[in-house]
Amino acid sequence: MLDSFLVRAALAGLGVAVAAAPLGCFVVWRRMAYFGDATAHASILGVALALSFNMSVFAGVLVVALVMATTVSTLSGRGYAMDTLLGVMAHSAIAFGLVAVSFLDGVRIDLMAYLFGDILAVGRVDLAVIWGGALLVLALVGWRWQQLLLSTVSPDLAQASGIDPKREQLILTIALAVVVAVAIKVVGVLLIAALLIIPAAAARPLAHTPERMAAIAAAIGAVSALGGLQLAYRFDTPAGPTMVCVAAGLFGLSSLVSLSRV
């Protein structure tokens, strides 16, 4: 079954959608959209480092994304605004990454594949990495779900309940770094944040509980992945951007449903 590149692509898209859905909800609730975007941009530096040291691209991206996420979490509130830190580190990381790639002699790299994804080139090893990362993220978020929710709704109440909001934010940033690392092959650096945010934003008007919102976001992400893949195959368009376009269309429909209830 896995000999078909379309089957592997579909499974890869589903893996990323399932992993991104609950995290996307927290990104929307915490208004961290730029955080996910910045972490994704920094992953280009991880690609350059992985190629330089002849290591796995997944490992290189994961290391840089983790460093980026933890650095921003540590420095925020210490004299710098969060958006300022994200802007400086995201653009600096992608610039250093692009410059580092230009120094790699004898290494041919398709930057477009990393910027916009190349889901049709996903192999069996990539598929194992994507689903392994997705299951890790789901286990981590499931384990800390109530603590993450409470620290998101009210950091003061979480502190009073014996929960450290900083620790929960660190757990969330680690999970985001893992999603960025597994999604770069599917949708690329520039579209990872879209796959995180758009399904969650589309699910928000349709859900009355956090758990239902995460489930609906996963369903929307899955439909976006499979529908975008089918449209890309039929009309010969880039797969990653087409998936995001389907997600954007579903967000538009969700917004119309929300407006019709007013």
Side-chain angles (χ1 to χ4, degrees):
M1 182 181 72
L2 293 181
D3 288 337
S4 171
F5 72 96
L6 280 178
V7 173
R8 291 196 301 269
L11 290 174
L14 287 175
V16 173
V18 167
L23 289 182
C25 294
F26 283 106
V27 167
V28 169
W29 293 331
R30 289 173 174 251
R31 299 180 181 179
M32 293 172 60
Y34 196 26
F35 188 93
D37 201 30
T39 306
H41 285 176
S43 62
I44 282 292
L45 180 57
V47 173
L49 292 176
L51 295 175
S52 300
F53 293 100
N54 196 25
M55 59 189 291
S56 165
V57 170
F58 170 79
V61 171
L62 180 59
V63 168
V64 171
L66 284 172
V67 170
M68 166 77 178
T70 53
T71 301
V72 171
S73 296
T74 302
L75 294 180
S76 61
R78 299 188 179 184
Y80 295 99
M82 176 68 83
D83 59 342
T84 302
L85 281 172
L86 290 173
V88 170
M89 296 197 66
H91 297 303
S92 299
I94 196 171
F96 278 113
L98 293 174
V99 170
V101 166
S102 68
F103 285 106
L104 296 177
D105 294 328
V107 177
R108 297 185 63 183
I109 176 173
D110 183 8
L111 278 179
M112 293 296 289
Y114 288 107
L115 291 175
F116 296 102
D118 192 8
I119 190 174
L120 298 179
V122 168
R124 294 190 178 203
V125 175
D126 298 319
L127 203 55
V129 169
I130 289 170
W131 273 98
L135 293 176
L136 175 63
V137 168
L138 289 177
L140 185 62
V141 174
W143 173 50
R144 305 300 298 176
W145 179 261
Q146 293 298 330
Q147 292 87 343
L148 285 169
L149 269 180
L150 187 57
S151 61
T152 297
V153 173
S154 174
D156 293 334
L157 183 59
Q159 191 80 48
S161 302
I163 299 171
D164 184 1
K166 283 287 186 181
R167 181 187 61 198
E168 302 307 319
Q169 182 176 345
L170 181 60
I171 291 172
L172 187 59
T173 56
I174 291 173
L176 275 172
V178 174
V179 167
V180 167
V182 301
I184 190 171
K185 185 79 173 182
V186 177
V187 291
V189 170
L190 300 180
L191 300 176
I192 291 173
L195 206 59
L196 272 169
I197 298 165
I198 296 178
R204 191 169 192 172
L206 307 176
H208 300 291
T209 64
E211 292 79 10
R212 184 172 295 180
M213 179 173 165
I216 294 175
I220 291 174
V223 171
S224 302
L226 297 180
L229 191 61
Q230 184 175 3
L231 290 175
Y233 183 74
R234 182 173 181 178
F235 296 106
D236 193 23
T237 56
T242 306
M243 290 162 58
V244 175
C245 287
V246 173
L250 293 175
F251 172 76
L253 290 176
S254 171
S255 300
L256 289 177
V257 170
S258 177
L259 290 174
S260 66
R261 293 176 178 175
V262 178

